[in-house]
Amino acid sequence: MSLPAHILDAFRAVVGPGGWIDDPEALAPHVADWRGRIRGRTPLLLRPKGTEQVAQIVRLANTHRIPLVPQGGNTGLVFGGVPDESGREIVVSLGRMNRIRTLDAANSCLIAEAGVTLRAVQEAAAGADRLFPLSFGAEGTATVGGFVSTNAGGVHVLRYGTTRALVLGLEAVLPTGDIWHGLGALVKDNTGYDLRSLLVGAEGTLGIVTAAALKLFPPLRAHASAFVALPSPAAAVDLLARLRAASDDRVIAFELISRFALGLAVANIPDCRSPLAPEHPFYVLVELASTDATAPLGEILESGLAAAMEAGLVVDAAIAGSLAQAEDFWRLRHGLSEAQRPAGAALKHDISVPPAHIPELIARGNEAVAQLVPGIRPCIFGHVGDGNLHYDLIQPEEMERAAYLARGAEVTRALHDIVAALGGSISAEHGIGRMKVAELLRLKDPAALAAMRAIKDALDPRHILNPGRILPVPRPMDAAPR
Ligand SMILES: Cc1cc2nc3c(=O)[nH]c(=O)nc-3n(C[C@H](O)[C@H](O)[C@H](O)COP(=O)(O)OP(=O)(O)OC[C@H]3O[C@@H](n4cnc5c(N)ncnc54)[C@H](O)[C@@H]3O)c2cc1C
C-alpha cells in the first residue's frame, strides 16, 4: 500500500526543496544494505537540516502513523537502517546534519551532529591534539548517529570501552516529537534513569539522535605492533594477559585471525602479503600504545613476546619496523570481511563470550557446524580481549550456494546455542536490527525481553520509530494513514 500524496507532500514541506529524494535511482543506495543482501522500498527519503525539522517529521509521522527509518552511513550489518519491502517506511537520512558544533579541549569533549562521519570526528579531535579512540573498518562512512545507535565497538574496546563509554551526552528527538536536550556532557549525573545509556544501542527504535557529546582522550604518541603466530586460541588468551601485565596495561588492540582467514586475506586483498608463514593455526595482531612519546614500547613488546615464546605460547612473530609495516598489518585485518566474498556464501555471526571461554567456543562451534554441514569453512577473527569473535561460516567448496544458505538458520541456531551455554551474547557489536529478531526472542532472558517491550511501548506507543527492529511489532501497524 503506498502512502497518500497529501501526506508525502506534508513531509516534503517540512524539509523544503533539496531536502528530500523520491527518484528511484537516487534512492537505490538507501534502500539496500551495505553487502547488497536485501533491498527494500520507500516512497520518500527526507534529509532534514536541523533538529527542529527532525522533530516536525516525527510529530507528523505520529499524527499519520507513518513508520520512520533513521539512516546514517548505511554501513550497519543487521538491516536496521534499511526500509522494509512494504513501501510504507519513510527514510530519515541525517547526512545534512554534519557540523561539529563545538570542540572543548579543556573539558575533553566534542559535540558533533548525527551526520558527521566517524573519521571526521577522529580528525577534528586530532586537530585539537586529542584522541577519539573509536575505530573500525567502516569509519570513513559510518556516522555519529549510526555508531551511537548501534553502540559500535571496534578495535580499541579493550582500552577505551564501547561507544557507550565514549558518549557524555545526547540530543535526540523522542518518538513523541519532543526534543531531549541532553548534551550537558557531565561525567557524573545521577538524576534518575539514564536516557543516554538507553538511547545508545537502541538502533533508532527509541529516538532519533541529532547530536552527541563525545569524550576525548590524550593523543597516543608511541606505538608498537606485532603480527604473532600462535599454536592455539588458548595461547591467545594467555598471551594477552601476559602482555597487559608486562606493558603496564598498554595493549590497545589484540586481534585474533585464524589461518583460513589469513589465507583469504592474502588471496583476495590486493597487494596483501602474510607477515609470517601462513601455516600456523592462529595469529594475533597486537598493538601497544602510550601517551608518553618516550615509552619503550618496542622493547616491551619484544621481551614480552620472547618470554611467551619460551613458555610455548608463541611460535613466531614479526614486529613492525615502521609505520608503513604496521599499517599493512591493519590493512590485512580490516580487509577480512571483504576478503571472504570470492570464497562464496558466508553465514556471519558476531558473538561474544567471557574471554577465557573463547577456546571452548571455537572448539565446540567448529565441531557442531561441521557435523551439520561437512566441509563448512569457519573464517574466525575478532577481538580477544572483548571475548568477541566474528565467526563467519563459508560454504563448502563443492556445495551449491542456495543449498548452503538453506541450512543457514539451523547452523546459526546450533552456534548460538553454544554461545548461550557459555554465557555469551548473539550480538556483540552489530545489534539486532531485523536480522536477529527471532534469535533474540529465542535466547534473551524473558524478564529482560518483557522490560524491553514495556520501554518500547511506553516511549513509542504507536511504533513509529524503526518498527520491527530489535523487537517485533506487537500488533498490526498497517492501519491506513490518516
Ligand atoms: C566494513 C565494516 C566494518 C565494521 N566494523 C565494525 C566493528 O568493528 N565494530 C562495530 O561495532 N561495528 C562495525 N561495523 C558495523 C557498524 O555498526 C556500523 O558501521 C556503524 O556503527 C553504523 O553507522 P552508520 O552511520 O552507517 O549507521 P546506519 O547503518 O545508517 O544505521 C545503523 C542503525 O542505527 C540507526 N541509526 C542511524 N542513524 C541514526 C540516528 N541518527 N538516530 C537513531 N538511529 C540511527 C539505523 O536506523 C540503524 O538501525 C562495520 C561495518 C562495516 C561495513
Side-chain angles (χ1 to χ4, degrees):
M1 183 179 57
S2 58
L3 297 178
H6 73 279
I7 291 182
L8 294 176
D9 284 345
F11 279 109
R12 286 189 185 98
V14 171
V15 288
W20 48 271
I21 300 174
D22 63 2
D23 167 53
E25 208 169 304
L27 284 175
H30 299 278
V31 298
D33 74 304
W34 178 76
R35 290 198 194 110
R37 285 167 303 172
I38 60 154
R39 179 167 294 279
R41 290 194 302 133
T42 184
L44 189 62
L45 176 140
L46 301 169
R47 304 176 69 228
K49 248 186 155 166
T51 304
E52 186 49 45
Q53 284 189 0
V54 177
Q56 286 180 40
I57 291 168
V58 175
R59 280 183 221 127
L60 204 53
N62 241 300
T63 306
H64 297 289
R65 294 177 184 258
I66 308 292
L68 299 177
V69 179
Q71 191 179 85
N74 198 15
T75 66
L77 297 173
V78 290
F79 312 151
V82 180
D84 67 15
E85 297 75 24
S86 70
R88 293 189 73 248
E89 295 186 335
I90 290 182
V91 177
V92 183
S93 168
L94 282 295
R96 285 209 298 179
M97 294 183 60
N98 57 5
R99 262 186 333 124
I100 296 205
R101 290 190 190 162
T102 56
L103 199 158
D104 181 353
N107 282 311
S108 297
C109 173
L110 174 159
I111 295 182
E113 291 183 340
V116 178
T117 64
L118 171 53
R119 182 162 299 147
V121 172
Q122 294 165 341
E123 286 172 357
D129 203 27
R130 294 289 184 277
L131 171 77
F132 184 64
L134 185 66
S135 174
F136 52 82
E139 62 197 23
T141 312
T143 61
V144 169
F147 71 68
V148 166
S149 299
T150 56
N151 185 28
V155 293
H156 296 151
V157 171
L158 186 60
R159 171 86 71 93
Y160 297 99
T162 61
T163 295
R164 188 167 278 119
L166 305 174
V167 174
L168 289 167
L170 289 177
E171 177 189 271
V173 175
L174 301 177
T176 49
D178 292 332
I179 299 172
W180 171 44
H181 300 280
L183 288 171
L186 297 173
V187 176
K188 290 185 163 180
D189 176 16
N190 283 349
T191 53
Y193 303 137
D194 186 0
L195 283 185
R196 179 191 51 147
S197 280
L198 198 56
L199 283 187
V200 176
E203 300 185 44
T205 62
L206 299 179
I208 299 186
V209 172
T210 50
L214 301 170
K215 193 171 176 181
L216 305 181
F217 293 80
L220 297 167
R221 302 198 192 281
H223 296 264
S225 307
F227 203 83
V228 183
L230 307 170
S232 66
V237 177
D238 285 355
L239 178 64
L240 174 59
R242 277 170 169 259
L243 290 180
R244 289 183 82 164
S247 68
D248 194 20
D249 212 2
R250 284 181 281 193
V251 180
I252 190 175
F254 196 87
E255 298 288 301
L256 186 75
I257 301 172
S258 68
R259 174 170 48 202
F260 181 60
L262 179 68
L264 289 179
V266 172
N268 299 328
I269 302 174
D271 303 323
C272 175
R273 283 188 311 116
S274 174
L276 298 171
E279 69 207 21
H280 306 290
F282 283 91
Y283 300 80
V284 288
L285 168 49
V286 54
E287 182 175 334
L288 308 190
S290 171
T291 55
D292 173 5
T294 65
L297 297 185
E299 288 167 34
I300 293 170
L301 187 55
E302 205 170 329
S303 60
L305 290 173
M309 205 175 265
E310 266 178 41
L313 298 176
V314 166
V315 190
D316 199 359
I319 294 185
S322 64
L323 188 61
Q325 205 180 355
E327 282 170 358
D328 281 349
F329 293 172
W330 277 109
R331 208 161 56 82
L332 187 159
R333 165 62 186 87
H334 284 314
L336 288 175
S337 288
E338 280 290 307
Q340 296 169 31
R341 281 194 199 209
L347 302 170
K348 305 226 170 199
H349 305 92
D350 163 39
I351 51 186
S352 67
V353 292
H357 292 336
I358 283 183
E360 188 177 350
L361 172 65
I362 294 177
R364 287 174 62 180
N366 284 358
E367 191 185 336
V369 299
Q371 262 176 16
L372 287 172
V373 182
I376 198 168
R377 293 173 294 165
C379 175
I380 296 171
F381 56 100
H383 322 289
V384 173
D386 318 336
N388 174 200
L389 294 181
H390 299 299
Y391 204 113
D392 298 341
L393 296 167
I394 300 185
Q395 67 177 87
E397 271 170 312
E398 305 305 328
M399 194 170 183
E400 282 291 318
R401 183 185 177 88
Y404 177 65
L405 291 176
R407 305 288 305 278
E410 189 188 354
V411 171
T412 292
R413 276 198 302 271
L415 184 63
H416 284 172
D417 283 346
I418 295 167
V419 170
L422 293 173
S425 165
I426 61 162
S427 185
E429 297 201 306
H430 302 157
I432 298 298
R434 288 195 279 143
M435 187 195 268
K436 299 182 183 171
V437 175
E439 284 295 85
L440 184 83
L441 298 183
R442 191 170 76 85
L443 293 169
K444 185 95 178 169
D445 175 82
L449 266 182
M452 284 165 62
R453 284 194 173 105
I455 290 168
K456 174 68 177 173
D457 287 344
L459 294 186
D460 186 9
R462 293 185 161 183
H463 285 245
I464 298 302
L465 288 187
N466 252 354
R469 280 73 172 174
I470 302 184
L471 294 168
V473 180
R475 55 185 179 274
M477 298 302 292
D478 288 340
R482 296 166 190 171

CSV table of all heavy atoms in Angstrom, one decimal, residues 253-282:
chain,number,residue,atom,x,y,z
A,253,ALA,N,45.1,-2.9,21.2
A,253,ALA,CA,44.4,-3.8,20.3
A,253,ALA,C,45.0,-5.2,20.3
A,253,ALA,O,46.2,-5.4,20.5
A,253,ALA,CB,44.4,-3.3,18.9
A,254,PHE,N,44.1,-6.2,20.2
A,254,PHE,CA,44.6,-7.6,20.2
A,254,PHE,C,43.6,-8.4,19.4
A,254,PHE,O,42.6,-8.9,19.9
A,254,PHE,CB,44.7,-8.1,21.7
A,254,PHE,CG,45.5,-9.3,21.9
A,254,PHE,CD1,46.9,-9.2,22.1
A,254,PHE,CD2,44.9,-10.6,21.9
A,254,PHE,CE1,47.6,-10.4,22.3
A,254,PHE,CE2,45.6,-11.7,22.1
A,254,PHE,CZ,47.0,-11.6,22.3
A,255,GLU,N,44.0,-8.6,18.1
A,255,GLU,CA,43.0,-9.1,17.2
A,255,GLU,C,43.4,-10.5,16.7
A,255,GLU,O,44.5,-10.7,16.2
A,255,GLU,CB,43.0,-8.2,15.9
A,255,GLU,CG,42.5,-6.8,16.3
A,255,GLU,CD,41.0,-6.8,16.6
A,255,GLU,OE1,40.2,-7.2,15.7
A,255,GLU,OE2,40.7,-6.4,17.7
A,256,LEU,N,42.5,-11.5,17.0
A,256,LEU,CA,42.8,-12.9,16.6
A,256,LEU,C,42.4,-13.1,15.1
A,256,LEU,O,41.4,-12.5,14.6
A,256,LEU,CB,41.9,-13.8,17.4
A,256,LEU,CG,42.1,-15.3,17.2
A,256,LEU,CD1,43.4,-15.7,18.0
A,256,LEU,CD2,40.9,-16.1,17.8
A,257,ILE,N,43.2,-13.9,14.4
A,257,ILE,CA,43.0,-14.2,13.0
A,257,ILE,C,43.3,-15.6,12.7
A,257,ILE,O,44.4,-16.1,13.0
A,257,ILE,CB,43.9,-13.3,12.0
A,257,ILE,CG1,43.6,-11.8,12.3
A,257,ILE,CG2,43.6,-13.6,10.6
A,257,ILE,CD1,44.6,-10.9,11.6
A,258,SER,N,42.3,-16.4,12.2
A,258,SER,CA,42.6,-17.8,12.0
A,258,SER,C,43.4,-18.0,10.7
A,258,SER,O,43.4,-17.1,9.9
A,258,SER,CB,41.2,-18.6,11.9
A,258,SER,OG,40.5,-18.2,10.7
A,259,ARG,N,44.0,-19.2,10.6
A,259,ARG,CA,44.8,-19.4,9.4
A,259,ARG,C,43.9,-19.3,8.1
A,259,ARG,O,44.4,-18.7,7.1
A,259,ARG,CB,45.3,-20.9,9.5
A,259,ARG,CG,46.1,-21.3,8.2
A,259,ARG,CD,46.8,-22.6,8.4
A,259,ARG,NE,46.0,-23.6,9.0
A,259,ARG,CZ,46.5,-24.7,9.6
A,259,ARG,NH1,47.8,-24.8,9.8
A,259,ARG,NH2,45.7,-25.6,10.2
A,260,PHE,N,42.7,-19.8,8.2
A,260,PHE,CA,41.9,-19.7,7.0
A,260,PHE,C,41.5,-18.3,6.6
A,260,PHE,O,41.6,-17.9,5.5
A,260,PHE,CB,40.6,-20.5,7.2
A,260,PHE,CG,39.6,-20.5,6.0
A,260,PHE,CD1,40.1,-21.0,4.8
A,260,PHE,CD2,38.4,-20.0,6.1
A,260,PHE,CE1,39.2,-21.0,3.7
A,260,PHE,CE2,37.5,-20.0,5.0
A,260,PHE,CZ,37.9,-20.5,3.8
A,261,ALA,N,41.3,-17.5,7.7
A,261,ALA,CA,41.0,-16.0,7.4
A,261,ALA,C,42.2,-15.4,6.8
A,261,ALA,O,42.1,-14.6,5.8
A,261,ALA,CB,40.6,-15.4,8.7
A,262,LEU,N,43.4,-15.7,7.3
A,262,LEU,CA,44.6,-15.1,6.8
A,262,LEU,C,44.8,-15.5,5.3
A,262,LEU,O,45.2,-14.6,4.5
A,262,LEU,CB,45.8,-15.6,7.6
A,262,LEU,CG,47.2,-15.0,7.1
A,262,LEU,CD1,47.3,-13.5,7.4
A,262,LEU,CD2,48.3,-15.7,7.9
A,263,GLY,N,44.5,-16.7,5.0
A,263,GLY,CA,44.7,-17.2,3.6
A,263,GLY,C,43.8,-16.4,2.7
A,263,GLY,O,44.2,-16.1,1.6
A,264,LEU,N,42.5,-16.2,3.1
A,264,LEU,CA,41.6,-15.4,2.3
A,264,LEU,C,42.1,-14.0,2.1
A,264,LEU,O,42.0,-13.4,1.0
A,264,LEU,CB,40.2,-15.4,2.9
A,264,LEU,CG,39.4,-16.7,2.9
A,264,LEU,CD1,38.1,-16.5,3.6
A,264,LEU,CD2,39.2,-17.2,1.5
A,265,ALA,N,42.7,-13.4,3.1
A,265,ALA,CA,43.2,-12.0,3.0
A,265,ALA,C,44.3,-12.0,2.0
A,265,ALA,O,44.3,-11.1,1.1
A,265,ALA,CB,43.7,-11.5,4.4
A,266,VAL,N,45.2,-12.9,2.1
A,266,VAL,CA,46.4,-12.9,1.2
A,266,VAL,C,45.9,-13.2,-0.3
A,266,VAL,O,46.4,-12.5,-1.2
A,266,VAL,CB,47.4,-14.0,1.6
A,266,VAL,CG1,48.5,-14.2,0.6
A,266,VAL,CG2,48.0,-13.7,3.0
A,267,ALA,N,44.9,-14.0,-0.4
A,267,ALA,CA,44.4,-14.4,-1.8
A,267,ALA,C,43.6,-13.2,-2.4
A,267,ALA,O,43.7,-13.0,-3.6
A,267,ALA,CB,43.6,-15.7,-1.7
A,268,ASN,N,42.9,-12.5,-1.5
A,268,ASN,CA,41.8,-11.7,-2.1
A,268,ASN,C,42.0,-10.2,-1.8
A,268,ASN,O,41.2,-9.4,-2.4
A,268,ASN,CB,40.4,-12.1,-1.6
A,268,ASN,CG,40.1,-13.5,-2.0
A,268,ASN,OD1,40.6,-14.0,-3.1
A,268,ASN,ND2,39.4,-14.3,-1.2
A,269,ILE,N,42.9,-9.8,-1.0
A,269,ILE,CA,43.1,-8.3,-0.8
A,269,ILE,C,44.3,-7.9,-1.7
A,269,ILE,O,45.4,-8.5,-1.5
A,269,ILE,CB,43.4,-8.0,0.7
A,269,ILE,CG1,42.3,-8.4,1.6
A,269,ILE,CG2,43.7,-6.5,0.9
A,269,ILE,CD1,42.6,-8.3,3.1
A,270,PRO,N,44.1,-6.9,-2.5
A,270,PRO,CA,45.2,-6.5,-3.4
A,270,PRO,C,46.5,-6.2,-2.7
A,270,PRO,O,46.4,-5.5,-1.6
A,270,PRO,CB,44.7,-5.3,-4.2
A,270,PRO,CG,43.2,-5.4,-4.0
A,270,PRO,CD,42.9,-6.1,-2.8
A,271,ASP,N,47.6,-6.7,-3.1
A,271,ASP,CA,49.0,-6.4,-2.5
A,271,ASP,C,49.1,-6.8,-1.1
A,271,ASP,O,49.9,-6.2,-0.3
A,271,ASP,CB,49.3,-4.9,-2.7
A,271,ASP,CG,49.2,-4.4,-4.1
A,271,ASP,OD1,49.7,-5.2,-5.0
A,271,ASP,OD2,48.8,-3.3,-4.3
A,272,CYS,N,48.3,-7.7,-0.6
A,272,CYS,CA,48.4,-8.1,0.8
A,272,CYS,C,49.3,-9.4,0.9
A,272,CYS,O,49.1,-10.4,0.2
A,272,CYS,CB,47.0,-8.5,1.3
A,272,CYS,SG,47.0,-9.1,3.0
A,273,ARG,N,50.3,-9.2,1.8
A,273,ARG,CA,51.2,-10.4,2.0
A,273,ARG,C,51.1,-10.8,3.4
A,273,ARG,O,51.0,-9.9,4.3
A,273,ARG,CB,52.7,-10.0,1.7
A,273,ARG,CG,52.9,-9.9,0.1
A,273,ARG,CD,54.4,-9.7,-0.2
A,273,ARG,NE,55.0,-8.7,0.6
A,273,ARG,CZ,56.0,-8.8,1.5
A,273,ARG,NH1,56.5,-10.0,1.7
A,273,ARG,NH2,56.5,-7.7,2.1
A,274,SER,N,51.3,-12.1,3.7
A,274,SER,CA,51.3,-12.5,5.1
A,274,SER,C,52.6,-12.2,5.7
A,274,SER,O,53.7,-12.5,5.2
A,274,SER,CB,51.1,-14.0,5.2
A,274,SER,OG,51.2,-14.4,6.5
A,275,PRO,N,52.6,-11.5,6.9
A,275,PRO,CA,53.9,-11.2,7.6
A,275,PRO,C,54.6,-12.4,8.0
A,275,PRO,O,55.8,-12.4,8.3
A,275,PRO,CB,53.4,-10.3,8.8
A,275,PRO,CG,52.0,-9.9,8.5
A,275,PRO,CD,51.5,-11.0,7.6
A,276,LEU,N,53.9,-13.5,8.2
A,276,LEU,CA,54.6,-14.8,8.7
A,276,LEU,C,54.1,-15.9,7.8
A,276,LEU,O,53.1,-15.8,7.1
A,276,LEU,CB,54.1,-15.1,10.1
A,276,LEU,CG,54.5,-14.0,11.2
A,276,LEU,CD1,53.8,-14.4,12.5
A,276,LEU,CD2,56.0,-14.0,11.4
A,277,ALA,N,54.8,-17.1,7.9
A,277,ALA,CA,54.4,-18.3,7.1
A,277,ALA,C,53.0,-18.6,7.5
A,277,ALA,O,52.6,-18.6,8.6
A,277,ALA,CB,55.3,-19.4,7.5
A,278,PRO,N,52.1,-18.8,6.4
A,278,PRO,CA,50.7,-19.0,6.7
A,278,PRO,C,50.3,-20.4,7.1
A,278,PRO,O,49.3,-20.9,6.7
A,278,PRO,CB,50.1,-18.6,5.3
A,278,PRO,CG,51.1,-19.0,4.3
A,278,PRO,CD,52.5,-18.9,5.0
A,279,GLU,N,51.1,-21.0,7.9
A,279,GLU,CA,50.9,-22.5,8.3
A,279,GLU,C,50.4,-22.7,9.7
A,279,GLU,O,50.2,-23.8,10.1
A,279,GLU,CB,52.2,-23.3,8.0
A,279,GLU,CG,53.2,-22.9,9.0
A,279,GLU,CD,54.6,-23.1,8.5
A,279,GLU,OE1,54.8,-23.1,7.2
A,279,GLU,OE2,55.6,-23.3,9.3
A,280,HIS,N,50.4,-21.6,10.5
A,280,HIS,CA,50.0,-21.8,11.9
A,280,HIS,C,48.5,-21.7,12.1
A,280,HIS,O,47.8,-21.0,11.4
A,280,HIS,CB,50.8,-20.7,12.7
A,280,HIS,CG,52.3,-20.7,12.4
A,280,HIS,ND1,53.1,-21.8,12.9
A,280,HIS,CD2,53.1,-19.9,11.8
A,280,HIS,CE1,54.3,-21.5,12.4
A,280,HIS,NE2,54.3,-20.4,11.8
A,281,PRO,N,48.0,-22.3,13.2
A,281,PRO,CA,46.6,-22.4,13.3
A,281,PRO,C,45.9,-21.0,13.6
A,281,PRO,O,44.9,-20.7,13.1
A,281,PRO,CB,46.3,-23.3,14.5
A,281,PRO,CG,47.6,-23.9,14.8
A,281,PRO,CD,48.7,-23.2,14.1
A,282,PHE,N,46.6,-20.1,14.3
A,282,PHE,CA,46.1,-18.8,14.7
A,282,PHE,C,47.2,-17.8,14.7
A,282,PHE,O,48.3,-18.1,14.9
A,282,PHE,CB,45.3,-18.9,16.0
A,282,PHE,CG,44.0,-19.5,15.9
A,282,PHE,CD1,43.8,-20.9,16.1
A,282,PHE,CD2,42.9,-18.8,15.6
A,282,PHE,CE1,42.6,-21.5,16.0
A,282,PHE,CE2,41.6,-19.3,15.4
A,282,PHE,CZ,41.5,-20.7,15.6
